[in-house]
Amino acid sequence: MADQSFVTLATNDSYVKGALVLGSSLQHHRTIKKLTVLITPQVSAPMRKVLEKVFDEILLVDVLDSGDSAHLALMKRPELGVTLTKLHCWELTQYSKCVFMDADTMVLSNIDELFEKEELSAAPDPGWPDCFNSGVFVYRPSIETYNHLLQLATEKGSFDGGDQGLLNTFFSSWATTDINKHLPFIYNLSSISLYSYLPAFKAFGSNAKVVHFLGRMKPWNYTYDSKTKSIKDDTSDPTMVHPEFLNMWWHTFITNILPLLEQHGIVKDATTGVKAEEVTEAVSHMSLSAAAPTSPPSPPPAESSEERKERWEQGQADYMGADSFDNIKKKLDTYLQ
Ligand code: UDP
Ligand code: GLC
Ligand code: MN
């Protein structure tokens, strides 16, 4: 449908990689909706060209940053102030309805049925289920709503320093008013459910329609071995219980996105002498920005156990790393012995 669109956001070339995989996954599952990506000036020219191959519309917007280091520090995610840039999605009034999806999400089946939902429909946040997670939501573009959101951001700010805090304050009736606006968790499944409720994940995980790589470590921060078609098992990175979704992300990246990056000279042709697995490893660690190099994401800094405890208590568990289910189990086993 021409007047409805999926919308995502990328403020730099790393998140563009995510946006490309998301767009490609939506196409693979034959969406009939438009694909729109919001970008900011930091996104390099070659990457914009690649985005044109996947998205119907690319819109350049200004960065909106909360600059709220105090609240962002509570989440241990200082980089998320820029997520207020997401608010620009309400300006897309050429569409009657949209589904916003974070660039770190990927669809596993067609989800066009979400457009039957009303604003603001979203799935519960796994850390605080009376709040919705703003990684996937259905909304109606409106300049009036956009202005009200900006006004709220200026006057009151966001309780988490990012868009999710602000949106939950603005759409505060979500938790209690209309169950139709609660999307099932399978539309925004984050790996956090692995350790917080593993039996439910085992029972219902296979029904997932959208996977959300929520947290500091994103799929593009891992190294993929195209020979074994799996994430490289780094002994310093504690084991992952279910790497299937990460492997799926990488499979989509290698199959559908890497050839586009090669065509645009962002990555050297994998066939010219370099072994494929070396290339993919290089890609996962390099900055894809040819015009405006950005430094590759640095691994999360080592934490003291006090800091880790604090983070855990704030609901910011490093579920793919130090706080993975395997590690928790190992710890429990030592108590039980
Ligand atoms: N984002 C971005 N650049 C950034 C940080 C975030 O473009 O530096 C966008 C991107 O679409 C991302 C979304 O904002 O998916 C929310 O951030 P993130 O997914 O990192 O937050 P999380 O879901 O891990 O809390
Ligand atoms: C959340 C959401 C993300 C949002 C961030 C900042 O964890 O997953 O979409 O941008 O918080 O509010
Ligand atoms: Mn996200």
Side-chain angles (χ1 to χ4, degrees):
M1 223 206 262
D3 76 334
Q4 298 186 334
S5 184
F6 284 101
V7 180
T8 189
L9 161 72
T11 68
N12 57 48
D13 285 3
S14 291
Y15 278 93
V16 169
K17 290 188 244 179
L20 287 166
V21 168
L22 167 64
S24 163
S25 71
L26 285 161
Q27 281 175 342
H28 179 77
H29 293 288
R30 304 192 183 284
T31 177
I32 58 162
K33 311 297 174 182
K34 293 268 185 200
L35 301 184
T36 302
V37 59
L38 306 176
I39 59 164
T40 55
Q42 209 198 334
V43 172
S44 70
M47 283 305 245
R48 293 183 197 197
K49 284 271 169 228
V50 178
L51 282 170
E52 282 172 20
K53 299 276 173 194
V54 175
F55 287 85
D56 299 297
E57 211 174 336
I58 298 161
L59 283 169
L60 184 65
V61 296
D62 302 329
V63 174
L64 296 173
D65 195 331
S66 69
D68 182 353
S69 51
H71 283 119
L72 292 165
L74 279 178
M75 285 207 287
K76 297 270 194 273
R77 297 289 300 277
E79 76 278 17
L80 290 189
V82 297
T83 62
L84 286 191
T85 311
K86 221 185 252 187
L87 301 182
H88 282 296
C89 74
W90 264 273
E91 289 179 302
L92 298 170
T93 50
Q94 63 273 45
Y95 300 119
S96 62
K97 201 183 275 181
C98 294
V99 172
F100 181 91
M101 300 184 75
D102 268 9
D104 62 342
T105 61
M106 179 177 85
V107 306
L108 308 176
S109 64
N110 185 293
I111 55 163
D112 287 357
E113 69 271 15
L114 283 184
F115 288 84
E116 289 160 23
K117 297 281 179 179
E118 291 305 323
E119 176 173 281
L120 188 290
S121 294
D125 184 82
W128 195 268
D130 280 348
C131 287
F132 57 84
N133 180 274
S134 62
V136 177
F137 60 88
V138 185
Y139 74 100
R140 243 177 223 289
S142 146
I143 296 299
E144 200 189 340
T145 309
Y146 174 71
N147 288 335
H148 282 141
L149 283 164
L150 280 195
Q151 194 183 344
L152 181 65
T154 323
E155 287 171 6
K156 283 181 83 181
S158 159
F159 69 75
D160 71 2
D163 62 290
Q164 182 163 305
L166 188 82
L167 291 174
N168 272 277
T169 303
F170 191 80
F171 295 102
S172 61
S173 63
W174 175 86
T176 51
T177 309
D178 183 358
I179 195 69
N180 287 316
K181 293 183 179 176
H182 284 228
L183 298 181
F185 195 57
I186 53 168
Y187 286 99
N188 188 347
L189 178 79
S190 52
S191 342
I192 221 157
S193 59
L194 279 178
Y195 73 87
S196 57
Y197 201 2
L198 188 62
F201 179 82
K202 292 223 186 272
F204 309 117
S206 60
N207 301 332
K209 287 176 185 255
V210 178
V211 44
H212 185 180
F213 299 98
L214 188 152
R216 260 194 298 186
M217 272 299 269
K218 299 302 183 195
W220 50 89
N221 299 142
Y222 290 87
T223 299
Y224 182 75
D225 185 340
S226 56
K227 232 193 213 158
T228 59
K229 293 198 170 13
S230 60
I231 296 296
K232 270 204 174 164
D233 227 343
D234 179 353
T235 42
S236 66
D237 181 11
T239 38
M240 285 166 274
V241 195
H242 281 276
E244 297 92 326
F245 294 135
L246 269 178
N247 291 338
M248 226 183 270
W249 186 97
W250 268 98
H251 179 72
T252 309
F253 182 79
I254 302 289
T255 316
N256 302 333
I257 307 304
L258 193 57
L260 297 176
L261 300 182
E262 285 168 356
Q263 273 168 29
H264 289 80
I266 300 169
V267 176
K268 269 201 233 116
D269 188 343
T271 58
T272 55
V274 198
K275 277 188 275 159
E277 63 268 30
E278 285 172 9
V279 172
T280 55
E281 184 170 349
V283 171
S284 77
H285 283 139
M286 73 192 242
S287 155
L288 287 171
S289 159
T294 50
S295 50
S298 49
E303 282 177 302
S304 69
S305 67
E306 201 41 50
E307 282 171 333
R308 201 172 138 207
K309 180 165 170 271
E310 196 184 304
R311 185 170 49 69
W312 174 273
E313 285 166 359
Q314 284 152 3
Q316 297 294 318
D318 180 12
Y319 49 88
M320 296 296 247
D323 309 320
S324 71
F325 179 75
D326 265 17
N327 277 3
I328 293 169
K329 191 166 169 298
K330 271 184 215 148
K331 189 89 183 164
L332 287 173
D333 286 347
T334 61
Y335 290 133
L336 292 173
Q337 271 156 19

